[in-house]
Amino acid sequence: MHAHFFSHRFHPHSHDSYSFAVTEAGAQRFRCRGALRTSGAGMVMVFNPDDPHDGEAAAELGYKYRIVHIGPDVVKNVLADVADIADGRAALPLFDQPVVSDPVLARALLRLHTALVDGAGPLVRDERLTAAVGAMVRRGATGPLRARTLPAGGSGQARAALRARTLLEEAYAQEIPAARLAEAAGCSRFALYRAFRAEYGMAPSDFQRQLRLRRARGLLIAGRSAAEAGFADQSHFHRWFVRCFGVTPGTFRRAVGPDSRRAPRP
């Protein structure tokens, strides 16, 4: 996506991919991993899969940025092909700094973004993807990615949160009362709310809504109606899609349609 936001505020959300954004002008502030961060012109925002964050303008003229979302499987495949990048490690990379100032990484990401949105051929796209992933891992990765989806350590809090998450993933389209969720987790509703926020950075209701949004997004990509994703009505779905993804469902549908090689920018 290439966007210029002025008053839009992103609701706390996360992505099921790595997300790398280059701020071109202005500044954006967001809360991620327990602290308020700011990305100014030329800086790179780095989100691991399932990193909760929000976002809004931190300058009067808003902020302009380019962002690419790269699935973990894509990153894994690139690393498997390029041994000197992976350095012998099979684990996916972890980025512990949500904002970095690195002109080399910024240029690699901008070149990849340009190739993706301007209709470059497959060879150019693959070359720039490899270069961008290589720059990310060599210059920003600090260790293997710990799967937030499996907080299976000895902590009772982690186990309770995981049980609740499992139920939400299995029945995301249903209305699940708090009592049922707490029963599945094996603790009180208050204890579950506290544990879930500690493990996943958001309330169970926000997490369920995010699952519905991800399902809706997948349906739109497949050219189908998003009605079965579990939202109460179209206006409710439209409002939350914009709050979490920054574009309308219609804009997203056009961007992933048959002519998306040269999709209009929001």
Side-chain angles (χ1 to χ4, degrees), residues 127-215:
E127 289 172 349
R128 294 190 183 181
L129 172 65
T130 299
V133 171
M136 295 169 203
V137 174
R138 290 191 183 104
R139 305 180 71 85
T142 56
L145 178 65
R146 174 182 177 271
R148 292 182 64 101
T149 55
L150 297 172
S155 167
Q157 172 179 281
R159 289 195 298 272
L162 178 58
R163 286 192 289 265
R165 175 176 177 145
T166 300
L167 175 57
L168 289 170
E169 290 175 332
E170 292 173 349
Y172 66 88
Q174 301 177 16
E175 294 301 330
I176 304 175
R180 179 185 172 194
L181 201 61
E183 181 180 1
C187 60
S188 71
R189 285 179 288 184
F190 175 75
L192 170 60
Y193 179 83
R194 184 173 56 190
F196 204 94
R197 285 196 67 91
E199 290 297 320
Y200 302 116
M202 61 183 70
S205 59
D206 283 333
F207 186 82
Q208 183 185 40
R209 186 188 306 111
Q210 180 172 271
L211 291 174
R212 291 175 176 177
L213 286 169
R214 289 180 180 178
R215 172 58 176 162

Side-chain angles (χ1 to χ4, degrees), residues 42-58:
M43 303 181 80
V44 179
M45 291 176 284
V46 180
F47 301 111
N48 298 305
D50 291 324
D51 261 349
H53 58 281
D54 52 15
E56 63 179 350

